[in-house]
Amino acid sequence: MAGGSTGTVPTAHPSEGALSEFRVELQQENYRVLVRSAVIFGIIYLVWGAYDYFLVPDKWQQFLALRVAASTINGIAVGIVAWRKRPDWSGKAFWVWFLVWGLFVCPMLPSTGDAFLAYVLGLIIVFWGAGVIPYWSGFAAFSVLAAIFVPAA
């Protein structure tokens, strides 16, 4: 080639070592986000039970039982990842975490009456979170949303 160039073109593909390092870093970041999100949103989800008392007074105890069950299941899922010190499981734990939140909001929807929109907002927050909180593929976000949407429909 003219000008003494060797003619090699740099590739945009990272080396296997760099890719592996990136995956580990991504898993560790997802792990941190999972633990923080579990604490923050777990508390918010339970505290929303106070609003249940005012929004649907005849169903608040049933809704509180659903909230406690969902928080317990998600606490166990996140606890297993933390206890086993397995940040590589954080993506799977996030998938379960969002699925549980969504599936436990779905049974509330038909019983909400005039407060329906407030509970749909809660489900939309789960949908939004599944799309933006964890660092994961579009397919992972889509699959958890599809799994929630089926019973919600």
Side-chain angles (χ1 to χ4, degrees), residues 49-117:
Y51 291 107
D52 292 336
Y53 181 79
F54 295 106
L55 294 173
V56 281
D58 57 325
K59 298 286 185 178
W60 78 271
Q61 290 175 322
Q62 177 187 352
F63 288 5
L64 182 61
L66 289 169
R67 291 180 187 285
V68 169
S71 295
T72 301
I73 292 167
N74 279 340
I76 290 168
V78 173
I80 288 170
V81 173
W83 176 64
R84 301 282 303 202
K85 296 180 180 21
R86 295 294 305 257
D88 56 315
W89 290 358
S90 59
K92 294 170 186 68
F94 254 131
W95 198 93
V96 168
W97 193 69
F98 281 113
L99 180 71
V100 168
W101 287 140
L103 291 181
F104 277 80
V105 170
C106 289
M108 297 179 194
L109 295 176
S111 304
T112 56
D114 291 339
F116 181 75
L117 289 178

Side-chain angles (χ1 to χ4, degrees), residues 17-62:
L19 195 54
S20 177
E21 199 173 292
F22 173 73
R23 283 188 189 117
V24 168
E25 184 179 339
L26 187 61
Q27 290 167 349
Q28 290 171 343
E29 182 60 24
N30 265 345
Y31 173 75
R32 285 189 290 275
V33 171
L34 174 68
V35 172
R36 287 184 202 136
S37 298
V39 170
I40 293 167
F41 292 111
I43 291 169
I44 290 170
Y45 191 74
L46 288 172
V47 169
W48 190 264
Y51 291 107
D52 292 336
Y53 181 79
F54 295 106
L55 294 173
V56 281
D58 57 325
K59 298 286 185 178
W60 78 271
Q61 290 175 322
Q62 177 187 352

